[in-house]
Amino acid sequence: MRLADDTLSATFFALADPTRRAILVRLSRGQATVKELSAPFEMSGPAVSKHLRVLERAGLIQRGREAQWRPRTLDASPIREVAEWAGEFKKFWDASYDRLDNYLDLLKKEGKKNARRS
Amino acid sequence: MRLADDTLSATFFALADPTRRAILVRLSRGQATVKELSAPFEMSGPAVSKHLRVLERAGLIQRGREAQWRPRTLDASPIREVAEWAGEFKKFWDASYDRLDNYLDLLKKEGKKNARRS
């Protein structure tokens, strides 16, 4: 498999950085220029631009064409793929609750049995 | 933020590889030895072991202690964190459906208006 074909890996890689995730959260509140996106980070312009390129390649942000400032907007559709992939494992993180449920059922049955005996 | 503290980044990084995701899918069907996990991949033993170490560091797999074979098991709790992070963006990928809904509502209203007129 060529890495370029593997959009899910590109998305996961892009999300594997707290600055890039913070940029996406900021863009979820509305479009922003590179200057606005850089403001919260103690980071050089080129460092922020590099993060933006990673996000852009993964299809997570789009670059406006209408203005000189080229504001960035969020494209959440790759995040949907991530949610769907992760959702396939839901039954495994629910499993611990199921075990607790079974245990409580067992306690209830035992309680009834003891009540009949006494 | 130190990278070691950032478990979500470690999880996303571990998932940014199709072989590592395939290993987790395999483990979702039950525990497996390194030999069993390596079988489907045209990959050297050390290459598979390296992938397993990345998954282990991210807390996605656990190594059994009971047997000589040390079977690996899935721990899906970090995937839950991923699902929760991604779920925060749900309204953005639903947005396109909402727009379609609004458009269909508009068409319906227009249709009724035209029906009254004729």
Side-chain angles (χ1 to χ4, degrees), chain B residues 98-117:
Chain B
D98 287 351
R99 278 198 298 273
L100 183 64
D101 260 12
N102 291 342
Y103 179 65
L104 292 176
D105 279 352
L106 188 72
L107 283 184
K108 228 189 291 181
K109 274 182 205 164
E110 291 293 314
K112 278 182 193 163
K113 218 185 281 177
N114 291 338
R116 273 203 302 274
R117 266 181 203 157

Side-chain angles (χ1 to χ4, degrees), chain B residues 1 22 33 60 86 111:
Chain B
M1 184 187 289
T33 63
L60 286 157

Side-chain angles (χ1 to χ4, degrees), chain A residues 5-71:
Chain A
D5 292 337
D6 181 13
T7 54
L8 193 53
S9 293
T11 305
F12 277 124
F13 178 79
L15 298 178
D17 181 277
T19 303
R20 291 198 288 267
R21 291 197 304 277
I23 288 172
L24 294 175
V25 170
R26 166 61 190 83
L27 287 176
S28 74
R29 297 200 301 270
Q31 64 173 30
T33 63
V34 176
K35 205 181 160 191
E36 288 167 332
L37 290 172
S38 307
F41 305 109
E42 289 173 7
M43 208 175 267
S44 68
V48 172
S49 292
K50 201 178 157 191
H51 282 312
L52 292 175
R53 275 200 302 278
V54 174
L55 291 168
E56 221 171 293
R57 270 201 302 269
L60 286 157
I61 62 174
Q62 282 171 5
R63 198 187 289 206
R65 279 172 196 182
E66 69 280 14
Q68 191 190 344
W69 309 101
R70 311 196 86 186

